[in-house]
Amino acid sequence: MQEGLRERKKRQTRQRIADVAMGLFMTRGFDNVTVAEVARTADVSVNTVFNYFSTKEDLFADRQDVAVDLAPRVLRERGPGESVVRAFRRDFLDALGTRDWRYGLNAGADVFARIVGEAPSLAAKLRELGEERQRALAQALADELEADPDDLTPRLVASHILNTTRLLGDYSTRRQLAGEAWESIEPALRAQAEKAFDLLESGIGDLLAGKGAGDGHEPEHQDDEA
């Protein structure tokens, strides 16, 4: 369906407000910017801002609806015979190669992370968003598996996959925050991703098998003294 003029103008207004807000947040920090300042800079009223965004945190996470649907979409769009893990491996490596934002691998992800790190309310918002993403993927998996409501499989799989991609994104961001160039981060991140998805595919059942915690560190036994 073709977008009408009214819908296009609303979408453009929403995007302009979000872009203005992000520019202010990046320059001055989230907690140092008010919604009134965003409205004034975007040349709209405060009420208009709140017509599009329920909270100030929503101004920062303006693509949250898209972000929540990303994981279910990967599941829906997997190829014939492609497993869930292989679909996410393919999608993550594609994002890595193109530096797409969907896994936090884009240029500027370090700036985004720094703003979040300085604003507790934003950190809480993103945790909430992460939980929502996990629920959405778990529900999509449950629907495809026709799982019983008491079956933990969809939630376990969603948790394993999204925690893996989150940790890989965090690995990249930490190195960017340390001042490393993407050219040095990318090969290491790719190797870490391949290892992580291999582990998801094979499971961890054999991890440390045959190597007990005490191997090589046998305690010394002393005879009891009378």
Side-chain angles (χ1 to χ4, degrees), residues 71 74-75 78 81-90 137 141 144-145 157-158 161 197 200-201:
V74 173
L75 182 70
R78 68 191 188 282
E82 187 176 41
S83 72
V84 176
V85 172
R86 288 176 185 170
F88 276 91
R89 181 200 294 262
R90 172 180 49 77
L137 178 57
L141 285 162
E144 291 221 19
L145 293 169
V157 172
I161 288 175
F197 284 105
L200 283 177
E201 287 209 57

Side-chain angles (χ1 to χ4, degrees), residues 10-218:
K10 289 176 67 175
R11 176 177 54 79
Q12 291 171 343
T13 298
R14 184 184 190 279
Q15 190 61 58
R16 185 175 77 255
I17 294 170
D19 289 345
V20 165
M22 184 59 74
L24 291 171
F25 296 151
M26 290 176 69
T27 303
R28 296 170 49 197
F30 182 80
D31 288 335
N32 297 323
V33 176
T34 66
V35 174
E37 289 175 299
V38 172
R40 185 166 58 252
T41 306
D43 196 24
V44 297
S45 69
V46 171
N47 284 341
T48 297
V49 173
F50 282 121
N51 283 340
Y52 289 97
F53 302 95
S54 298
T55 68
K56 181 181 167 185
E57 287 72 23
D58 289 337
L59 277 166
F60 186 84
D62 64 297
R63 290 188 283 187
Q64 56 187 303
D65 291 343
V66 176
V68 168
D69 189 55
L70 282 172
R73 192 189 72 193
V74 173
L75 182 70
R76 292 192 302 267
E77 296 179 356
R78 68 191 188 282
E82 187 176 41
S83 72
V84 176
V85 172
R86 288 176 185 170
F88 276 91
R89 181 200 294 262
R90 172 180 49 77
D91 193 62
F92 185 89
L93 293 176
D94 175 76
L96 192 160
T98 58
R99 295 208 68 181
D100 189 81
W101 69 274
R102 63 189 184 274
Y103 292 108
L105 307 178
N106 53 298
D110 53 334
V111 178
F112 185 96
R114 189 176 292 112
I115 295 171
V116 172
E118 294 171 350
S121 65
L122 272 185
K125 173 68 178 180
L126 293 190
R127 283 195 299 271
E128 177 185 311
L129 182 56
E131 292 168 359
E132 191 176 347
R133 293 182 69 217
Q134 188 167 311
R135 284 193 296 270
L137 178 57
Q139 185 59 60
L141 285 162
D143 291 344
E144 291 221 19
L145 293 169
E146 298 182 353
D148 185 274
D150 290 332
D151 187 352
L152 290 177
T153 300
R155 281 174 282 173
L156 287 168
V157 172
S159 174
H160 288 318
I161 288 175
L162 294 184
N163 276 325
T164 295
T165 58
R166 178 182 59 80
L167 289 169
L168 289 168
D170 288 350
Y171 171 85
S172 170
T173 301
R174 283 198 310 273
R175 293 185 61 168
Q176 289 182 68
L177 286 169
E180 290 190 55
W182 177 253
E183 289 73 20
S184 66
I185 297 171
E186 191 272 343
L189 177 59
R190 185 174 295 274
Q192 292 281 5
E194 295 285 10
K195 184 188 298 184
F197 284 105
D198 283 347
L199 191 58
L200 283 177
E201 287 209 57
S202 63
I204 61 173
D206 292 331
L207 188 67
L208 295 182
K211 185 175 182 181
D215 289 1
H217 301 281
E218 292 296 330

